[in-house]
């Protein structure tokens, strides 16, 4: 990835400059990040996705009578007839992970790979009727809000008071104090760091794409890693059973022996001290595909002779020792490691590069192709 070239997508900043000055720090409004932007999906195509039961979608309706509950939230799937008419003001349909469902949106996602893949979450698309929005709120993650069609008025503020209104079906800030306001046109983009308060209201019909990032919570990560390491421990550590030839006769038989406590502690420290086990488990965890992804096994694949690319549901990462793909780890070295890392970074290997793989690596990639993790390069 070229990180020093100025990009229109970042308003003429290079990825290196953007990351240094703005990422995770402060908002950036980019006019015409994608000049002449046309929506990648028509409104009806988005509605079709929202009708699928394997796609996560939500409907937010603002109700005129604020004395009652002003917000209504429903979860999909939605038949077209279960959605409000387009002429009705104040509703929004949000469809999650469209990058996993549509090649055009997947290609858009690729433009944001100056952020490490391990941080990328998904591309959500929202359709809003006039006046629609999800109310003033904050997100816990970095997000690029790309206006794909129509206009949306964003108000944003870096407020510290993040208390939420009680009794709402959505996260709505109790006391939103906007500091800046912009109207985004098709092709404009707003970057927001985590916890920045924002409220986007459609001016006429509009569609917004949210390129969102994930940041693991440390406790959740520890839980996942401990569980993953526990599963691998039997292979990683030679068996060692507790021994107590020095144990004295117990005057207080219910008291847990201090040696047994120390033995338990040592068992955990041994597992945590093994840098290989920890980094392998982390890579496997981070490369787990999204829960909505199903790979289509290929019955008669023609092999690697045409070149290969990642299936759009595949997550592939690597570290100094391992390559991780869809929750599994493989050790690679030499030329194979170089080529397979190239596949992870670029998302494809052409026919010539595939021909340079060792027979063992070619066989492994052939298996990934068969289980639908890779596709033949078109
Ligand atoms: C939207 O697209 O309507 C909401 C996006 C957001 O505020 O995070
Ligand atoms: Co938001």
């Amino acid at each position: 990835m070229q990180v020093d070239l100025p990009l229109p997508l970042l308003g003429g900043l290079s990825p290196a400059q953007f990351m240094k000055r703005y990422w995770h720090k402060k908002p950036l409004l980019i006019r015409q990040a994608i000049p002449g932007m046309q929506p990648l999906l028509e409104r009806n195509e988005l509605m079709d996705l929202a009708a699928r039961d394997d796609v996560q979608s939500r409907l937010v309706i603002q109700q005129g009578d604020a004395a009652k509950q002003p917000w209504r939230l429903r979860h999909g799937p939605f038949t077209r007839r279960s959605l409000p008419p387009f002429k009705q003001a104040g509703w929004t349909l949000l469809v999650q992970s469209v990058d996993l469902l549509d090649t055009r949106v997947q290609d858009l996602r690729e433009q944001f790979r100056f952020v490490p893949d391990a941080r990328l979450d998904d591309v959500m698309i929202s359709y809003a009727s006039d006046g629609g929005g999800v109310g003033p709120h904050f997100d816990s993650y970095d997000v690029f809000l790309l206006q794909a069609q129509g206009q949306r008025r964003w108000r944003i503020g870096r407020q510290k008071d993040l208390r939420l209104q009680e009794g709402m079906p959505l996260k709505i800030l109790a006391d939103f104090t906007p500091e800046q306001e912009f109207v985004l046109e098709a092709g404009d983009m707003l970057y927001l760091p985590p916890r920045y308060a924002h409220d986007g209201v459609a001016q006429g019909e509009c569609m917004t794409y949210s390129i969102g990032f994930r940041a693991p919570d440390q406790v959740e990560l520890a839980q996942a890693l401990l569980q993953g390491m526990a599963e691998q421990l039997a292979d990683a550590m030679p068996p060692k059973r507790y021994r107590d030839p020095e144990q004295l006769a117990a005057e207080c038989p219910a008291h847990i022996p201090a040696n047994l406590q120390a033995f338990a502690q040592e068992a955990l420290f041994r597992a945590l001290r093994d840098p290989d086990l920890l980094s392998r488990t982390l890579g496997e965890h981070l490369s787990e595909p999204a829960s909505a992804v199903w790979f289509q096994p290929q019955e008669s694949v023609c092999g690697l002779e045409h070149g290969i690319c990642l299936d759009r549901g595949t997550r592939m990462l690597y570290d100094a020792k391992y390559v991780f793909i869809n929750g599994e780890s493989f050790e690679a070295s030499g030329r194979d490691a170089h080529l397979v890392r190239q596949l992870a970074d670029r998302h494809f290997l052409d026919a010539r590069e595939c021909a340079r793989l060792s027979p063992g690596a070619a066989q492994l990639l052939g298996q990934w192709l068969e289980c639908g993790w890779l596709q033949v390069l078109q």
Side-chain angles (χ1 to χ4, degrees), residues 23-24 115-122 141-142 194 212-216:
W23 174 256
H24 224 68
V115 182
D117 290 343
R119 292 281 271 109
L120 184 68
D121 188 11
D122 74 342
Y141 310 111
D142 304 82
F213 294 81
R214 53 182 181 157

Side-chain angles (χ1 to χ4, degrees), residues 70-369:
W71 299 97
R72 246 181 87 199
L73 169 69
R74 282 172 47 205
H75 291 275
F78 301 104
T79 60
R80 180 65 202 92
R81 288 170 62 195
S82 68
L83 293 171
F86 295 123
K87 290 197 298 294
Q88 179 181 318
W91 64 274
T92 299
L93 175 72
L94 306 121
V95 182
Q96 220 64 52
S97 301
V98 184
D99 51 316
L100 299 178
L101 305 162
D102 187 282
T103 308
R104 297 160 292 183
V105 182
Q106 179 197 6
D107 291 345
L108 172 72
R109 182 188 74 184
E110 293 283 309
Q111 296 191 43
F112 293 83
R113 292 190 70 220
F114 51 85
V115 182
D117 290 343
R119 292 281 271 109
L120 184 68
D121 188 11
D122 74 342
V123 181
M124 176 186 82
I125 300 188
S126 69
Y127 163 85
S129 69
D130 183 33
V134 297
H137 67 283
F138 67 93
D139 298 305
S140 308
Y141 310 111
D142 304 82
V143 65
F144 291 92
L145 298 155
L146 172 63
Q147 195 58 28
Q149 189 182 37
Q151 293 182 329
R152 187 184 282 274
R153 179 179 298 277
W154 285 101
R155 293 182 304 150
I156 65 171
R158 85 205 114 143
Q159 66 190 68
K160 295 269 174 294
D161 177 3
L162 297 178
R163 280 173 308 122
L164 299 176
Q165 287 185 32
E166 281 174 23
M168 294 289 157
L170 310 174
K171 278 189 344 182
I172 306 283
L173 281 166
D175 186 15
F176 178 47
T177 322
E179 295 169 320
Q180 285 175 287
E181 183 169 321
F182 329 95
V183 176
L184 267 67
E185 311 267 348
D188 294 345
M189 185 164 78
L190 177 61
Y191 162 73
L192 292 178
R195 301 167 80 80
Y196 218 92
H198 55 286
D199 184 22
V201 177
Q203 299 200 150
E205 270 192 322
C206 88
M207 286 209 255
T208 305
Y209 297 180
S210 298
I211 298 99
F213 294 81
R214 53 182 181 157
D217 168 83
Q218 207 168 29
V219 171
E220 282 169 19
L221 190 59
Q223 278 172 341
L225 291 179
L226 286 172
Q227 161 129 24
M229 284 178 13
E231 281 159 20
Q232 304 190 33
L233 224 50
D235 301 330
M237 292 203 328
K240 183 174 173 188
R241 196 169 290 281
Y242 179 60
R243 300 181 69 242
D244 57 355
E246 316 292 327
Q247 177 65 55
L248 304 177
E251 286 173 26
C252 307
H255 189 222
I256 298 172
N259 278 348
L260 184 50
Q261 287 177 322
F263 180 79
Q265 210 170 50
E266 192 207 320
L268 272 184
F269 287 163
R270 261 175 82 203
L272 291 173
R273 260 201 312 268
D274 182 341
D276 198 58
L277 181 61
L278 185 59
S279 55
R280 188 150 57 95
T281 311
L282 176 65
E284 290 176 2
H285 172 67
L286 292 175
S287 68
E288 279 290 348
S291 54
V293 169
W294 295 102
F295 295 103
Q296 191 71 49
Q298 316 274 318
E299 296 240 318
S300 60
V301 285
C302 44
L304 309 181
E305 58 272 17
H306 300 287
I308 41 156
C309 60
L310 298 197
D311 180 79
R312 58 173 168 257
T314 286
R315 281 201 178 132
M316 193 172 183
L317 304 168
Y318 62 84
D319 66 14
K321 186 162 176 192
Y322 294 100
V323 171
F324 307 98
I325 179 165
N326 295 332
E328 296 195 16
S329 53
F330 299 88
E331 229 179 306
S333 58
R335 188 200 286 172
D336 284 338
H338 174 73
L339 288 164
V340 176
R341 284 178 191 161
Q342 219 164 358
L343 173 62
D345 277 331
R346 283 196 335 217
H347 287 182
F348 74 92
L349 286 182
D350 64 24
R352 226 163 27 98
E353 290 161 335
C354 285
R356 297 178 63 223
L357 288 163
S358 70
Q363 194 189 13
L364 183 63
L365 267 61
Q367 285 165 11
W368 296 351
L369 199 53

